Amino acid sequence: MHHTGYQPDTVALIGAGNAIDSALQKGLQKVGFRVQLVGREQLTAEKFPARSGTIVINAASCGGGALMAEARAVCEALKGLPFTALLHLSSYGVFGRARRKKIDEEEEPSPSSERGRDWLACEEILSAVDNVSILRLGWQVDRSEDALLGRILRSLLEGRPVILDDTSKGNPVTVADLVRVAVAITQQLASGGPKSGLYHYGSADTCTAMEFGREVIDRVRSLYGEDFAAELAVLAPAEEDRSSVLSCGRLRDVFGIQQRSWRQGLTRQVELWLERLQKPEV
């Protein structure tokens, strides 16, 4: 095997149990990393399957609400394991109240939901551990069928109105862009980059759920024809403005990672999710 020059060249990936897992695995392997998928039951010093000094990516907190208790247990289990660096994927959800400005890493977390409190608890568990980088991600729109893109497409395929919030803004993150950023950070962790820090990442442009929905419908009509029936409706009564737009300057300054538009690659993402949702059950 061609040696990549990465030290270490192995990544232990703790998955989210959704589309993020295979995408991260493929992205890491594409640039030359050896990837080991690790389950919670393997996270003990006696059984930890990765070689001492490996890099760990922890995506467990991206698994959804039903798995947040397990995600917290994963973070507890990670303490004391012999890794060189840990990249923990978190969320803008640690910020709960409405804002009209971009949120940087100096902002004090103030979660207003149970999910947000779980995300913050995971961060706090790992905050006392050496060599941990925390990456808070913007609104993840396509990690599972229950995320925004899947919900919109499922409603369209079933001929139901798509009811969306047109008040709160965020900077969405697609799985493809998440992988790009996580792989780039991992490459630098394995090449002498700083092994601890708190970073934010979201797309370069903001939108509401309604604005995202309109773009998705445009992509669907480009595939199915302009006569494809689609009904959008604004969520009423209007929700409180819960806008959460992440400022991503530190990630750019430390790792040189630039923001991209969530519109990049959206047509392909729509195609893949349509295929997945229309695939007959066996």
Side-chain angles (χ1 to χ4, degrees), residues 119-158:
W119 275 316
L120 183 58
C122 288
E123 290 188 11
E124 290 174 340
I125 290 167
L126 294 171
S127 63
V129 181
D130 292 334
N131 295 340
V132 172
S133 297
I134 294 173
L135 178 64
R136 291 178 182 150
L137 297 159
W139 175 16
Q140 295 176 50
V141 292
D142 60 342
R143 66 184 179 188
S144 70
E145 291 184 21
D146 293 327
L148 182 60
L149 179 58
R151 296 201 310 270
I152 292 172
L153 293 176
R154 192 162 54 242
S155 294
L156 293 176
L157 292 175
E158 294 172 359

Side-chain angles (χ1 to χ4, degrees), residues 105 133-136 194 196-201 250-251 254-255:
E105 292 84 355
S133 297
I134 294 173
L135 178 64
R136 291 178 182 150
S196 62
L198 175 62
Y199 309 98
H200 287 174
Y201 183 75
R250 181 178 293 176
L251 190 71
V254 174
F255 294 114

Side-chain angles (χ1 to χ4, degrees), residues 104-245:
D104 64 24
E105 292 84 355
E106 304 306 319
E107 188 76 29
E108 190 70 26
S110 56
S112 59
S113 66
E114 182 177 356
R115 184 84 59 86
R117 288 186 284 273
D118 283 331
W119 275 316
L120 183 58
C122 288
E123 290 188 11
E124 290 174 340
I125 290 167
L126 294 171
S127 63
V129 181
D130 292 334
N131 295 340
V132 172
S133 297
I134 294 173
L135 178 64
R136 291 178 182 150
L137 297 159
W139 175 16
Q140 295 176 50
V141 292
D142 60 342
R143 66 184 179 188
S144 70
E145 291 184 21
D146 293 327
L148 182 60
L149 179 58
R151 296 201 310 270
I152 292 172
L153 293 176
R154 192 162 54 242
S155 294
L156 293 176
L157 292 175
E158 294 172 359
R160 294 185 285 111
V162 183
I163 303 172
L164 299 170
D165 176 18
D166 200 19
T167 301
S168 302
K169 286 184 176 288
N171 40 352
V173 179
T174 63
V175 167
D177 205 21
L178 182 160
V179 169
R180 176 184 70 90
V181 172
V183 169
I185 293 173
T186 305
Q187 287 177 293
Q188 295 191 53
L189 292 175
S191 303
K195 291 183 170 56
S196 62
L198 175 62
Y199 309 98
H200 287 174
Y201 183 75
S203 63
D205 43 354
T206 64
C207 68
T208 65
M210 178 62 74
E211 290 166 336
F212 182 85
R214 292 190 187 104
E215 289 282 346
V216 171
I217 288 175
D218 285 347
R219 303 306 196 276
V220 173
R221 283 179 169 153
S222 73
L223 299 169
Y224 288 173
E226 290 299 321
D227 294 332
F228 181 83
E231 181 183 350
L232 284 174
V234 176
L235 184 67
E239 291 192 358
E240 175 190 9
D241 186 348
R242 297 176 299 164
S243 297
S244 293
V245 177

Side-chain angles (χ1 to χ4, degrees), residues 24-103:
L24 271 174
Q25 183 177 15
K26 291 175 182 175
L28 290 162
Q29 290 173 334
K30 185 176 180 179
V31 298
F33 283 106
R34 309 172 196 266
V35 181
Q36 293 177 291
L37 295 176
V38 179
R40 190 185 72 180
E41 68 283 354
Q42 298 172 285
L43 296 177
T44 65
E46 295 78 16
K47 298 171 60 178
F48 189 49
R51 290 179 293 176
S52 178
T54 192
I55 294 174
V56 176
I57 296 180
N58 180 25
S61 295
C62 299
L67 299 176
M68 286 307 289
E70 181 174 331
R72 292 174 71 160
V74 164
C75 293
E76 289 284 0
L78 283 168
K79 295 190 299 185
L81 293 183
F83 51 75
T84 290
L86 167 65
L87 175 61
H88 172 71
L89 304 184
S90 188
S91 170
Y92 76 99
V94 299
F95 304 105
R97 63 182 184 272
R99 286 173 172 76
R100 287 183 172 82
K101 61 183 180 63
K102 289 188 176 181
I103 307 169

